[in-house]
Amino acid sequence: MTMAGVAVIGERAQVSGWALAGAVVHAGEDAAQVREAWHALGDDVAVVVLTPAASAHLAGETARGGPLTVVLPG
């Protein structure tokens, strides 16, 4: 059985701890880094947790399909 993965994208200070829970962490401090991380997600990622800033940088891109996204409270 294959398990779907969880990825977290956002500012390093807010996302680094998620690695302890087994999530794949992509630190992105600006719009370009966040978009690069989003496009680099593997096919095995089913859920992406975004910081509020990362969500704003991806406005419109997450609605085009792909993994389920969740935005952390601000």
Side-chain angles (χ1 to χ4, degrees):
M1 179 164 101
T2 304
M3 269 180 74
V6 175
V8 184
I9 301 174
E11 306 87 302
R12 183 174 307 280
Q14 294 186 38
V15 302
S16 60
W18 286 83
L20 297 172
V24 175
V25 174
H26 296 279
E29 302 297 330
D30 60 28
Q33 291 174 339
V34 168
R35 282 194 292 276
E36 181 180 339
W38 175 259
H39 292 291
L41 293 173
D43 291 335
D44 61 332
V45 174
V47 178
V48 180
V49 179
L50 300 168
T51 63
S55 176
H57 293 315
L58 292 172
E61 290 195 49
T62 59
R64 295 184 188 150
L68 173 69
T69 57
V70 178
V71 180
L72 295 170

